[in-house]
Amino acid sequence: MAVPQLSVDVAIAGAGVAGSVAALIAARAGRSVALIHARPRRRNRGETVPPEFRPLLEELGLWPEFLRSGPRECWSNQSCWGSAQPRERHYICHPYGCAWHVCLPAFEAELRATAAQHRVRLIDGHVTRAENHTEHVALYVETSDRAMHVDAAVAIDATGRSARVARGLGATRLNIDQTTSFATTCEPTGNAGATDTLVEATDIGWWYSAPATDGLSVMLVTDTEVVDLAANRLGKQWVTLLRQAPNTSARARAAADPALAVAAAGPSRLDPVAGPNWLAVGDAAATYDPLGSSGILHAASSAAAGAQVADALLTQDFSSITDYPHREMELFDEHLRQRSDRYRTEQRWPASAFWTRRGIPATSRQ
């Protein structure tokens, strides 16, 4: 039996924020678009976006989709950073208003629904192989019941840190460090039902907690060498470490042996980030330290820029394929500079490997 084949102007692998935004912009420009969506999506981790997210979405015409996803306003952040005493940062005077707690799966679903309304072809499946040909990129896709072949004049990789398509086309990933997150949902206690987030530094890393749709999302960010990754000990050790973060543990009631979502969380970038007829956006292009809460913002902004590059390539304008990697490199290096500055402000544990490693200025130009 012949393998079904689809030919489009733009094929996008990955239908999270980055992939869906890129698909919408390309479709609005009149391009035929296939959006390949691998299920299941990750659970809500109580993620927060900064106030700057609003003007970007309003410019892209996607603010209604965000509001329909049910975000919660966040008017202040608390941090125990450089001191054991919590410090509060208010957004009341911010020109763009408050930050937002977002249920990411709900927001992504809204984006995909709008993409479908703009005649984006949604394909439930995942890319198993990518091949670069002179005039197109061939993506081989496995769905639940069949294999198919998608030919695209331009391919956009929005598959996240894995960068499945780009790596299949020869790109590699540069990891700045081995930062890892260990997250679960706890029962909120005391005033933890409020909308503020809390970041608390300890000698082995830092803790993040924020309201989620199903409780309080609590995440430890540290190095893998700090935590025993054996499955039968990981949850219990996480609870023990939580007790060493007094402000976080005071607002979170954890299970005795919670199931944890473990994920790479350090900065990284793709090399190269684009080729003659493909490019990467969002986390596929670069991942940012979660301390800055800028990952989702970068996903949307890079997707908007990437969709414009794809449109230019389709009109034989190749100048943008060099401008886009330069943009991504500059943004990433600036993130690394700001990251080092933030980590250096925490001076309480000068002998801690976690803190000394991150206080050293880093560069991605290696």
Side-chain angles (χ1 to χ4, degrees):
M1 181 181 296
V3 175
Q5 184 168 336
L6 175 67
S7 294
V8 293
D9 295 326
V10 182
I12 302 168
V17 171
S20 297
V21 169
L24 274 164
I25 294 174
R28 287 172 179 170
R31 305 302 183 182
S32 58
V33 182
L35 182 59
I36 303 165
H37 170 43
R39 296 182 180 179
R41 297 299 298 167
R42 62 179 176 269
R43 60 187 294 180
N44 179 34
R45 295 188 304 176
E47 299 187 61
T48 306
V49 294
E52 291 79 6
F53 197 53
R54 177 170 186 164
L56 173 61
L57 288 191
E58 288 179 336
E59 180 183 351
L60 297 176
L62 297 173
W63 187 244
E65 282 77 5
F66 183 71
L67 293 180
R68 286 198 299 270
S69 71
R72 298 175 63 185
E73 294 180 346
C74 174
W75 284 102
S76 67
N77 289 331
Q78 294 189 60
S79 63
C80 303
W81 196 275
S83 169
Q85 296 302 315
R87 299 174 183 174
E88 198 162 15
R89 175 190 179 189
H90 292 275
Y91 292 110
I92 191 68
C93 295
H94 196 286
Y96 301 129
C98 63
W100 297 84
H101 298 303
V102 56
C103 177
L104 201 53
F107 180 41
E108 292 169 343
E110 290 290 344
L111 291 174
R112 288 193 296 272
T114 300
Q117 293 171 6
H118 284 76
R119 298 186 178 181
V120 171
R121 172 76 178 270
L122 297 178
I123 300 173
D124 287 333
H126 64 277
V127 176
T128 60
R129 189 166 89 253
E131 294 178 354
N132 202 339
H133 300 272
T134 303
E135 299 295 333
H136 68 278
V137 175
L139 301 180
Y140 296 85
V141 180
E142 288 286 344
T143 70
S144 60
D145 58 355
R146 63 176 181 174
M148 66 181 301
H149 180 192
V150 180
D151 283 342
V154 180
I156 297 179
D157 189 338
T159 59
R161 186 183 289 264
S162 68
R164 179 186 295 269
V165 172
R167 289 192 300 109
L169 297 175
T172 58
R173 182 163 292 280
L174 170 65
N175 293 298
I176 300 302
D177 58 39
Q178 299 303 313
T179 304
T180 305
S181 67
F182 302 82
T184 192
T185 301
C186 297
E187 179 185 349
T189 62
N191 66 346
T195 61
D196 61 319
T197 62
L198 173 65
V199 173
E200 181 173 13
T202 67
D203 62 329
I204 51 89
W206 55 272
W207 293 82
Y208 166 87
S209 56
T213 54
D214 53 352
L216 186 74
S217 179
V218 182
M219 177 176 69
L220 169 63
V221 178
T222 186
D223 287 322
T224 51
E225 65 198 48
V226 172
V227 179
D228 187 344
L229 295 175
N232 63 338
R233 292 188 289 272
L234 182 57
K236 294 178 181 178
Q237 186 185 14
W238 186 92
V239 173
T240 299
L241 294 172
L242 175 61
R243 297 192 187 106
Q244 299 171 19
N247 292 281
T248 304
S249 59
R251 74 196 307 240
R253 182 178 294 114
D257 187 12
L260 299 177
V262 181
S268 67
R269 70 167 178 85
L270 200 65
D271 183 28
V273 76
N277 49 8
W278 67 269
L279 63 143
V281 297
D283 282 358
T287 62
Y288 289 6
D289 191 298
L291 183 62
S293 296
S294 56
I296 301 175
L297 178 65
H298 170 253
S301 64
S302 69
Q308 293 173 350
V309 172
D311 193 63
L313 291 175
L314 290 167
T315 59
Q316 304 299 304
D317 176 3
F318 299 105
S319 60
S320 59
I321 204 63
T322 57
D323 294 340
Y324 177 73
H326 178 75
R327 170 194 183 273
E328 284 295 304
M329 178 76 79
E330 289 299 314
L331 288 173
F332 186 67
D333 281 347
E334 177 59 25
H335 166 73
L336 293 182
R337 286 189 288 270
Q338 293 180 3
R339 176 184 189 247
S340 294
D341 290 343
R342 290 191 186 105
Y343 277 102
R344 278 200 301 272
T345 62
E346 179 52 86
Q347 297 288 325
R348 287 179 287 170
W349 301 284
S352 166
F354 177 88
W355 294 103
T356 55
R357 287 169 183 161
R358 286 155 183 81
I360 299 172
T363 178
S364 68
R365 301 174 191 270
Q366 299 179 8

